[in-house]
Amino acid sequence: MIELFDRLARPLLYALDPEDAHRLAIRMLQVVSLPPVPPDDTRLATRVFGLNFLNPIGIAAGFDKHAEIPDALMRAGFGFVEVGTVTPLPQLGNPRPRLFRLDADQAVINRLGFNSQGADAVLRRLAARASAGGIVGINVGANKDAPDRVADYVRLIEKFAAVASYVTVNISSPNTPGLRDMQQADVLDDLLARVIDARERVTKNAGPTPVLLKIAPDLSLSDLDDVVGIARARRVNGVIVGNTTVSRPASLRDAQLREAGGLSGRPLLPLADRMLAETYVRVEDAFPLVGAGGIDSGASALGKIRAGASLIQIYSGLVFRGLGLVGEIKRTIVAALERDGAQNLADYVGADAASATAEPWPDQFVRA
Ligand SMILES: Cc1cc2nc3c(=O)[nH]c(=O)nc-3n(C[C@H](O)[C@H](O)[C@H](O)COP(=O)(O)O)c2cc1C
């Protein structure tokens, strides 16, 4: 059924401007009620930051920014859905066009700039589906014109802790000027101190809500040392590695490669995997990692887990491969487990991290 949906939808979606296609895809998933996929093989189940996932494959932030279709996405086979980025107040984001499909490279460039319907609209939707179950996290960001960006994150944690399975603090979008500077040590330490404090304050009523940090793949390794040190000291529950890159690997061929914004999809994979492995060796099991960036096949998903991810997230791969990608990834992981006689994913997580960090830096990515 998912394959049929993909096959019917693809030509239509490809004929449209990418942002219109995305809106239509959301509408279709709202209207067409896909039958749920068969239950997952129990060996795919995993417990990460205190939550029980039926499978480790999530949809990354940015696809369902306004929490319009989390349950349809769960039915399509995802083990978790990350909605957002949501900002406290509604904002339009950057002028269109701001989303580009690089077909020749199986990549996407976006400079959406946190277009958000705002926290109230998203909160209403999440509250209305709260009893539906499933793991739905929320990714939060600051308004572009916020006088105190840290205060925006604090407000959003307080607001969403009761209705979200976890909250991701997104300080790595390249499309809000100055946002990524919040990854600098002193700013980050203050941010995480206040965010974790807010989480502690609301835990009594909201229950325990894991707080994750989402970082950019463009951090220098010395900045990464700082980020990991602070995340450990402030006891975040996990880190997502990572967001889109502002770099442009030399391999890109599509005419739109010079569009400003964050690059995602297949060309991001080597950089994202390397940064994940670099993060994994620094974290020393203090908390789990979520791997995102460039997954578009079962093999790249398994590679991401071996580089250090306890959970994975996909976005751009769906644009080129459709929802059938989720089933393909599950089949690949189960086949690997069968082959290795393993009971679950645990043995794979980070298995290649140390060796990956000894490799030369991926040569398509010139370090600034
Ligand atoms: C169109 C688009 C919009 C995105 N919006 C967000 C966002 O709002 N918040 C966020 O944290 N990441 C956002 N991302 C980044 C993705 O969540 C993900 O980290 C990145 O695209 C790498 O994964 P991929 O190569 O599988 O796409 C967006 C990505 C794309 C392609």
Side-chain angles (χ1 to χ4, degrees):
M1 191 62 195
I2 296 257
E3 277 73 16
L4 182 66
F5 179 81
D6 284 343
R7 214 170 325 134
L8 294 176
R10 179 121 16 124
L12 181 60
L13 296 176
Y14 268 54
L16 296 174
D17 156 83
E19 191 164 346
D20 291 337
H22 177 250
R23 272 317 303 163
L24 181 62
I26 299 259
R27 285 267 168 275
M28 289 196 300
L29 286 164
Q30 255 171 345
V31 176
V32 181
S33 83
L34 288 172
V37 295
D40 287 324
D41 188 297
T42 53
R43 289 169 292 183
L44 291 172
T46 182
R47 186 171 169 82
V48 185
F49 33 78
L51 303 174
N52 293 317
F53 296 77
L54 292 173
N55 72 67
I57 308 153
I59 185 151
F63 187 83
D64 188 12
K65 279 185 189 269
H66 318 300
E68 295 170 288
I69 52 162
D71 296 299
L73 291 166
M74 301 288 301
R75 276 198 302 279
F78 285 102
F80 65 113
V81 175
E82 184 165 317
V83 302
T85 296
V86 61
T87 55
L89 301 174
Q91 63 177 28
L92 292 172
N94 290 321
R96 289 176 69 166
R98 54 191 181 173
L99 180 56
F100 306 89
R101 221 180 46 231
L102 280 62
D103 291 335
D105 303 304
Q106 307 265 301
V108 174
I109 291 176
N110 93 81
R111 52 168 179 269
L112 294 167
F114 286 172
N115 53 314
S116 175
Q117 293 179 1
D120 288 341
V122 171
L123 181 65
R124 268 196 303 278
R125 289 188 194 117
L126 290 184
R129 56 114 9 236
S131 59
I135 296 179
V136 179
I138 188 160
N139 178 304
V140 298
N143 276 117
K144 185 174 174 212
D145 301 326
D148 176 357
R149 285 188 170 161
V150 175
D152 272 17
Y153 289 95
V154 167
R155 273 167 71 187
L156 292 166
I157 301 264
E158 290 169 349
K159 208 162 179 138
F160 285 104
V163 295
S165 306
Y166 67 87
V167 181
T168 300
V169 173
N170 177 13
I171 47 168
S172 49
S173 166
N175 301 311
T176 296
L179 191 85
R180 287 173 302 147
D181 297 342
M182 297 184 84
Q183 296 172 120
Q184 296 298 323
D186 48 344
V187 188
L188 181 65
D189 190 53
D190 175 55
L191 170 72
L192 291 184
R194 287 167 63 187
V195 155
I196 296 291
D197 185 54
R199 190 270 307 274
E200 298 306 317
R201 272 200 310 279
V202 296
T203 293
K204 191 159 163 283
N205 293 324
T209 309
V211 170
L212 315 188
L213 183 68
K214 184 167 178 179
I215 64 175
D218 302 321
L219 288 173
S220 70
L221 293 181
S222 75
D223 284 345
L224 184 64
D225 289 340
D226 289 347
V227 167
V228 170
I230 294 164
R232 289 178 66 163
R234 292 293 173 194
R235 296 177 170 279
V236 304
N237 300 94
V239 168
I240 304 181
V241 189
N243 219 309
T244 56
T245 178
V246 293
S247 68
R248 295 291 181 267
S251 61
L252 294 182
R253 290 181 296 132
D254 197 285
Q256 300 180 98
L257 70 95
R258 272 179 245 291
E259 290 292 348
L263 174 79
S264 56
R266 185 180 291 174
L268 173 57
L269 184 73
L271 176 66
D273 278 4
R274 179 60 180 262
M275 285 303 282
L276 176 63
E278 296 284 353
T279 308
Y280 184 85
V281 297
R282 286 165 173 74
V283 167
E284 298 172 311
D285 281 332
F287 46 71
L289 302 177
V290 182
I295 296 171
D296 67 354
S297 63
S300 52
L302 201 52
K304 188 74 81 184
I305 293 166
R306 297 186 66 96
S310 294
L311 299 167
I312 58 175
Q313 291 181 321
I314 54 180
Y315 185 159
S316 305
L318 294 173
V319 173
F320 298 100
R321 301 288 320 281
L323 284 167
L325 176 60
V326 183
E328 181 195 319
I329 293 173
K330 290 179 187 173
R331 288 191 294 277
T332 303
I333 296 175
V334 170
L337 293 167
E338 292 276 354
R339 187 192 61 218
D340 300 337
Q343 282 315 301
N344 56 54
L345 282 172
D347 289 348
Y348 297 141
V349 176
D352 294 344
S355 59
T357 57
E359 298 282 321
W361 199 260
D363 60 1
Q364 297 292 322
F365 290 88
V366 184
R367 297 246 85 180

